[in-house]
Amino acid sequence: MLSRSQLIEQIKQKRTFLCIGLDTDIDKIPAFLKEYPDPVFEFNKRIIDATRDLCIAYKPNAAFYEARGVKGLLSLIATQQYLPKDCLNIIDAKRGDIGNTSDNYARAFFDQQNSGMDFDAITVTPYMGNDSVTPYLKYDDKWVIILALTSSAGSKDFQYLNTGEGFLYETVIKKANTWAGADRLMFVVGATKSTEFTDIRKHAPDNFLLVPGVGAQGGSLEDVCKYGMTKDCGLIVNSSRGIIYASNGEDFAEAARAEALKLQQQMQQELEKAGVI
Ligand SMILES: O=C(O)c1cc(=O)[nH]c(=O)n1[C@@H]1O[C@H](COP(=O)(O)O)[C@@H](O)[C@H]1O
């Protein structure tokens, strides 16, 4: 677990706020890895070894592991146990259910004794409200990352609905911030929505924002920083496919490092520009 102050310290020390998404699809990894007992874990292990100094978080998306049944779960467990402890271990599960069920989702990803997994943070969808989120907050050393304004085109279907007090996504942020503080709650805001960051920061001045959509989805890191960076940085910017699939050859880990290094160097400039470091 990284507390808010430890997260800020890591960002300053490593001069990066990069999150690497381990969305590992067994059909997209280099063929030579098939000879390993767990090709997906072997892929993830080499990506982690090649990039752990350039990022402050890793974010496996549960879907890519659940798609493979038992083998996928074993890859996810092995990956989580291998993730560096000086990085935020985020499970991108986008869970949402009644309290009793959410208690079990929390055990699945937070309770190593039961499931073998001990993630630091989980993404959740807030559609079912407070009692679908509070079960994760019972673990007082874990983060909850709530979907607010997503990178997807479908964000316009509901997230911009006017609640009378502004857009729905703004209401989600304001309401969720009554459930816990900025030391426990983060929000997901897509990098493709960078112009909305100014308004979002009015409702979430202190929360860290998990920002997917850079790289493969074409979001602008520069614009995200221009409108969303705070004195504590306050951003964790994710790239998955743009990094992990930089090459399909035996050099895939080195190629991933090269892409991560490009982002880390841009991020260092943004941190310097904003006076964070
Ligand atoms: O919760 C997320 O991380 C998420 C929210 C969102 O609005 N958009 C979004 O792309 N994501 C996730 O972030 C990752 C983006 O992957 P790439 O497009 O390959 O960088 C995927 O795992 C998505 O599921």
Side-chain angles (χ1 to χ4, degrees):
M1 162 73 179
L2 284 181
S3 66
R4 180 183 157 79
S5 56
Q6 288 168 328
L7 181 57
I8 294 166
E9 190 47 45
Q10 282 297 318
I11 290 170
K12 291 180 177 177
Q13 265 182 24
K14 298 171 91 170
R15 288 162 155 55
T16 181
F17 46 98
L18 177 62
C19 176
I20 295 177
L22 298 174
D23 297 356
T24 309
D25 178 339
I26 195 160
D27 297 328
K28 291 185 180 174
I29 65 177
F32 81 95
L33 289 170
K34 296 282 193 301
E35 70 191 50
Y36 285 86
D38 183 342
V40 164
F41 171 64
E42 188 60 31
F43 177 88
N44 289 348
K45 178 178 180 297
R46 293 182 188 208
I47 294 281
I48 293 162
D49 290 346
T51 57
R52 57 188 296 164
D53 59 318
L54 300 173
C55 64
I56 46 99
Y58 286 95
K59 181 175 77 75
N61 187 309
F64 296 88
Y65 300 87
E66 292 168 347
R68 295 174 48 231
V70 172
K71 284 183 179 173
L73 190 53
L74 291 173
S75 301
L76 182 59
I77 291 169
T79 298
Q80 191 281 313
Q81 292 181 353
Y82 192 76
L83 286 175
K85 295 310 162 220
D86 68 346
C87 290
L88 208 60
N89 295 193
I90 302 170
I91 181 68
D92 186 358
K94 295 191 181 68
R95 294 297 193 253
D97 212 316
I98 62 167
N100 181 53
T101 304
S102 290
D103 282 335
N104 284 277
Y105 280 138
R107 284 176 66 194
F109 296 112
F110 288 164
D111 186 344
Q112 188 161 42
Q113 299 305 321
N114 280 287
S115 68
M117 291 183 281
D118 185 19
F119 282 96
D120 301 317
I122 184 169
T123 55
V124 300
T125 172
Y127 191 69
M128 291 178 72
N130 181 354
D131 49 8
S132 72
V133 173
T134 45
Y136 306 97
L137 292 167
K138 291 177 191 166
Y139 294 75
D140 57 13
D141 62 343
K142 304 294 186 185
W143 289 92
V144 179
I145 308 176
I146 295 178
L147 291 179
L149 182 59
T150 59
S151 66
S152 52
S155 60
K156 69 183 182 312
D157 292 343
F158 305 116
Q159 297 166 27
Y160 285 95
L161 287 176
N162 195 318
T163 64
E165 300 168 341
F167 295 128
L168 176 59
Y169 77 80
E170 291 177 300
T171 301
V172 165
I173 292 170
K174 285 187 283 188
K175 187 77 176 170
N177 267 338
T178 66
W179 302 340
D183 59 338
R184 303 295 313 283
L185 279 187
M186 299 185 188
F187 295 99
V188 172
V189 182
T192 52
K193 303 294 190 308
S194 54
T195 53
E196 315 281 4
F197 275 69
T198 303
D199 282 344
I200 287 168
R201 278 299 182 207
K202 288 178 192 145
H203 309 304
D206 302 319
N207 299 86
F208 265 84
L209 304 178
L210 174 63
V211 183
V214 159
Q217 296 179 54
S220 160
L221 174 63
E222 189 177 1
D223 287 349
V224 165
C225 296
K226 181 178 172 186
Y227 299 110
M229 191 172 280
T230 67
K231 65 178 177 38
D232 297 322
C233 179
L235 298 169
I236 299 174
V237 174
N238 180 80
S239 176
S240 307
R241 288 166 289 176
I243 291 174
I244 67 173
Y245 298 136
S247 162
N248 193 30
E250 301 223 356
D251 68 339
F252 74 92
E254 291 72 24
R257 178 174 180 80
E259 289 307 314
L261 184 60
K262 279 182 210 163
L263 284 168
Q264 182 274 328
Q265 288 170 335
Q266 288 172 36
M267 289 178 175
Q268 180 165 337
Q269 286 174 4
E270 294 296 343
L271 289 168
E272 287 163 353
K273 220 169 20 174
V276 178
I277 56 176

